């Protein structure tokens, strides 16, 4: 998978919308680690079933070699969603649009990736979760 630093302009595929990258990780590049509030993980699982920018190819986890991680997603968290071939896109309260590979869920839960706080707030906001306080903590 392509690597793009967090909060840089999105350029993975053509888009007529300006977006910022989140979670485009590579084995050779470090990434922020920490704890992400479970409400963000659950919200990402809900959003994972929408399949934004679905691709034909599959990206495997570069960190552990997991072939195709699966999560239970969708509004009732009961839909099997294969990760590694689509994006999750969310809009922040300030209008900023973020694009993350849906593997971001696996990166958070298995590799302790800590996405930017503003992305986590946008994820929670998109599914209607009101938040108070930080949604991420550094290691």
């Amino acid at each position: 998978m392509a690597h793009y630093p967090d909060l840089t302009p999105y350029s993975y595929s053509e888009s007529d919308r300006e977006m910022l990258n989140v979670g485009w990780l590579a084995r050779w590049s470090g990434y922020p680690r920490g704890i992400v509030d479970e409400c963000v993980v659950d919200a990402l699982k809900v959003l994972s079933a929408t399949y934004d920018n679905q691709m034909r190819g599959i990206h495997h986890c570069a960190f552990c070699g997991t072939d195709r991680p699966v999560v239970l997603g969708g509004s009732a968290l009961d839909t099997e969603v294969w990760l590694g071939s689509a994006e999750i896109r969310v809009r922040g309260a300030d209008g900023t649009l973020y694009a993350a590979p849906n593997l971001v869920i696996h990166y958070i839960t298995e590799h302790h990736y800590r996405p930017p706080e503003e992305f986590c707030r946008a994820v929670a906001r998109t599914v209607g979760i009101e938040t108070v306080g930080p949604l991420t903590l550094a290691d």
Side-chain angles (χ1 to χ4, degrees), residues 31-44:
Y31 58 88
R33 296 174 186 266
I35 299 168
V36 177
D37 192 296
E38 198 63 34
C39 77
V40 173
V41 175
D42 286 345
L44 284 166

Side-chain angles (χ1 to χ4, degrees), residues 9 24 38 40 43 46 48 50 52 58 70 73 79 83 90-91 97 104-105 110-111 125-126:
W24 297 88
E38 198 63 34
V40 173
V46 168
S48 70
T50 62
D52 265 317
I58 300 167
V70 178
T79 302
L83 305 180
V90 293
R91 186 173 303 280
L97 187 60
V104 72
I105 300 165
E110 299 300 319
H111 303 293
R125 180 179 171 273
T126 299

Side-chain angles (χ1 to χ4, degrees), residues 1-6 10 12 21-26 87 99-101 113:
M1 180 163 60
H3 171 271
Y4 302 102
D6 285 347
Y10 176 86
Y12 181 72
N21 294 307
V22 171
W24 297 88
L25 308 182
E87 296 175 7
Y113 166 60

Side-chain angles (χ1 to χ4, degrees), residues 1 4 7 13 18 20 42 44 49 56 59 99 114 116 130:
M1 180 163 60
Y4 302 102
L7 306 180
S13 64
E18 290 185 18
L20 297 180
D42 286 345
L44 284 166
R56 290 183 184 200
H59 293 288
R114 181 177 45 88
E130 297 295 324

Side-chain angles (χ1 to χ4, degrees), residues 3-118:
H3 171 271
Y4 302 102
D6 285 347
L7 306 180
T8 59
Y10 176 86
S11 61
Y12 181 72
S13 64
E14 288 188 33
S15 176
D16 58 350
R17 299 178 286 175
E18 290 185 18
M19 295 180 272
L20 297 180
N21 294 307
V22 171
W24 297 88
L25 308 182
R27 182 179 197 109
W28 50 265
S29 180
Y31 58 88
R33 296 174 186 266
I35 299 168
V36 177
D37 192 296
E38 198 63 34
C39 77
V40 173
V41 175
D42 286 345
L44 284 166
K45 289 176 181 178
V46 168
L47 297 171
S48 70
T50 62
Y51 293 105
D52 265 317
N53 201 26
Q54 176 72 50
M55 298 289 181
R56 290 183 184 200
I58 300 167
H59 293 288
H60 306 283
C61 178
F63 302 104
C64 67
T66 297
D67 190 25
R68 289 223 42 207
V70 178
V71 296
L72 291 177
S75 59
L77 298 178
D78 62 356
T79 302
E80 192 172 80
V81 178
W82 293 85
L83 305 180
S85 64
E87 296 175 7
I88 295 172
R89 295 180 176 177
V90 293
R91 186 173 303 280
D94 66 355
T96 302
L97 187 60
Y98 302 93
N102 65 3
L103 267 173
V104 72
I105 300 165
H106 175 77
Y107 295 152
I108 292 168
T109 60
E110 299 300 319
H111 303 293
H112 309 287
Y113 166 60
R114 181 177 45 88
E117 180 74 23
E118 53 266 52

